[in-house]
Amino acid sequence: MRSDTVTKPTPEMRRAMYEAEVGDDVYGEDPTINRLQELAAELTGKEAALLVTSGTMGNQVAVMAQTQKGDEVILEADAHMFYYEVGGLACLSGVQTRTVSAPHGILTAENIRAMLRNPNDIHNPRTALICLENTHNRAGGTCYPVNVLAEIKEMAQQSGVPVHVDGARIFNASVALGVPVRVLAGYCDTMMFCLAKGLGAPVGSMLVGSKAFIDRARKCRKMLGGGMRQAGIIAAAGIFALTSMVGRLAEDHAHARMLGEACLEMGWGIDLSTVQTNIVVFDVMPFNVSAAAVQKLLAEEGVKVSQFGEFRLRMVTHYGITRQDIDYTIAALNRVAKKLRQDSKR
Ligand SMILES: *Cc1c(COP(=O)(O)O)cnc(C)c1O
């Protein structure tokens, strides 16, 4: 339950990898990578796409290709790009961040407008990029409502600031909302999404946007050491992921919902309105213990979860986690809750 990054490739995916036609991609000659990039561009309604080694590389390259040193980038305060990318924005692009906390991690056009810099004031850095996270990981897998995206797009266009979406789990948002990825991507200029999470590929993320953007991004990727050779083996898994693994995400969402509802019933602290996709973030405060203590008790039951703060834990459902595993996890959470209640009575 730690993360959907632990998924392993399916047997069919491995077969597709074995049989992949390959070439040198730095020369643009890997037919399988070219096919994956065409597929990603088509699915998102963008001109072009680029295979990158990880979601982090995709996000960092997107910033690098669209900013200059000293620019400002707007982010939600718990955004992966700010929180979990090793300070890459400062280190690789030399940009500074402007963050604001938003309920459920979902920024609004109003939030963002308040953070835009007036370009006519000599003191101000240039606001170069707006970054949204869909679904929002630390907020518990929450989705941007389509009307919010539309308002942000309109405001951003008026201000002349491009919008990048960290769409590591954009297919989860698409399945949960019943809205095609192409529609969600239509509200941003550039987007990154992961092949290696719920979609089950062993490696890889995609960056999509205009042809001019992808040309710049390809150069940035090369600079970071991400120019790959016969990586069609990886791309074949990505094609399989995009064509065969999207539909089943609904099952992960149903599993997360079951876990979330069970957590609420047992008295763990949880806001069920955040359980929209495959992530369940819950609070251990009601039991007066630390997240680390509960993590350890669950590990003893054979259930691995992630620590998400001093009193918060995260569970993620994904390919490879069955209905039986969910039932087992609920039983384990129940046993731990009972034990903690008894301990506190003593
Ligand atoms: C996982 C994730 C990424 C990228 O992670 P990598 O491990 O670098 O592939 C980016 N953004 C979000 C929201 C994520 O959850």
Side-chain angles (χ1 to χ4, degrees):
M1 302 288 168
R2 283 166 301 170
S3 176
D4 43 9
T5 56
V6 304
T7 49
K8 290 178 182 166
T10 71
E12 300 95 308
M13 194 180 268
R14 281 183 185 264
R15 199 166 313 122
M17 295 171 77
Y18 180 78
E19 289 169 358
E21 262 189 87
V22 296
D24 188 330
D25 184 53
V26 173
Y27 289 102
E29 289 174 6
D30 189 301
T32 311
I33 293 184
N34 291 340
R35 206 146 54 81
L36 170 62
Q37 290 176 164
E38 281 157 26
L39 176 62
E42 188 194 309
L43 282 173
T44 55
K46 299 293 184 207
E47 281 176 9
L50 185 70
L51 172 65
V52 289
T53 58
S54 68
T56 300
M57 182 184 274
N59 284 332
Q60 293 299 324
V61 159
V63 175
M64 213 181 214
Q66 298 185 90
T67 59
Q68 289 169 355
K69 226 161 109 172
D71 281 347
E72 197 161 74
V73 172
I74 292 176
L75 299 135
E76 201 277 329
D78 260 355
H80 191 283
M81 292 175 71
F82 177 68
Y83 210 95
Y84 288 128
E85 300 192 2
V86 209
L89 298 177
C91 187
L92 300 170
S93 296
V95 295
Q96 67 178 21
T97 50
R98 184 107 190 248
T99 59
V100 67
S101 268
H104 293 183
I106 304 300
L107 292 169
T108 63
E110 219 169 289
N111 287 153
I112 297 167
R113 191 180 292 113
M115 294 198 286
L116 292 175
R117 299 288 199 152
N118 174 0
N120 299 323
D121 186 327
I122 193 173
H123 302 90
N124 287 355
R126 180 180 79 116
T127 303
L129 193 63
I130 297 161
C131 299
L132 313 177
E133 187 169 312
N134 197 10
T135 67
H136 195 295
N137 181 1
R138 288 188 58 82
T142 48
C143 307
Y144 267 86
V146 171
N147 67 308
V148 174
L149 289 175
E151 284 162 19
I152 290 173
K153 183 192 180 187
E154 199 191 332
M155 183 276 304
Q157 264 177 345
Q158 281 169 5
S159 318
V161 181
V163 176
H164 171 71
V165 169
D166 173 351
R169 297 186 181 83
I170 198 70
F171 284 90
N172 293 90
S174 166
V175 166
L177 297 169
V179 175
V181 163
R182 170 187 275 271
V183 172
L184 299 176
Y187 297 109
C188 65
D189 299 278
T190 63
M191 184 167 82
M192 180 285 289
F193 64 85
C194 289
L195 302 165
K197 287 191 169 153
L199 299 185
V203 189
S205 294
M206 302 304 298
L207 197 52
V208 299
S210 70
K211 188 170 175 313
F213 163 72
I214 291 297
D215 286 346
R216 283 197 303 278
R218 186 177 286 105
K219 256 190 113 110
C220 296
R221 181 189 70 170
K222 188 81 180 90
M223 190 196 286
L224 296 179
M228 294 174 278
R229 305 295 179 176
Q230 289 73 26
I233 289 175
I234 291 166
I239 293 171
F240 186 88
L242 290 175
T243 51
S244 304
M245 297 293 283
V246 174
R248 60 157 307 288
L249 294 175
E251 190 182 315
D252 299 339
H253 298 176
H255 285 163
R257 194 74 205 170
M258 288 169 65
L259 281 175
E261 283 169 4
C263 281
L264 184 68
E265 216 165 285
M266 290 175 225
W268 301 99
I270 185 164
D271 175 357
L272 272 189
S273 72
T274 66
V275 187
Q276 301 173 9
T277 54
N278 67 327
I279 299 178
V280 181
V281 172
F282 66 100
D283 207 300
V284 302
M285 281 263 224
F287 292 93
N288 258 319
V289 283
S290 67
V294 176
Q295 185 184 36
K296 186 159 171 286
L297 288 169
L298 284 170
E300 284 164 11
E301 294 274 353
V303 177
K304 294 175 181 166
V305 300
S306 297
Q307 208 176 314
F308 243 47
E310 216 184 330
F311 300 102
R312 295 209 306 166
L313 291 169
R314 185 189 71 166
M315 299 185 285
V316 185
T317 56
H318 53 81
Y319 172 70
I321 300 254
T322 61
R323 173 64 203 272
Q324 284 79 0
D325 295 329
I326 298 298
D327 292 341
Y328 180 88
T329 303
I330 290 172
L333 280 161
N334 222 340
R335 285 192 290 272
V336 170
K338 268 202 189 119
K339 180 181 177 341
L340 291 170
R341 256 193 217 103
Q342 277 165 3
D343 287 356
S344 72
K345 273 193 203 126
R346 260 189 227 126

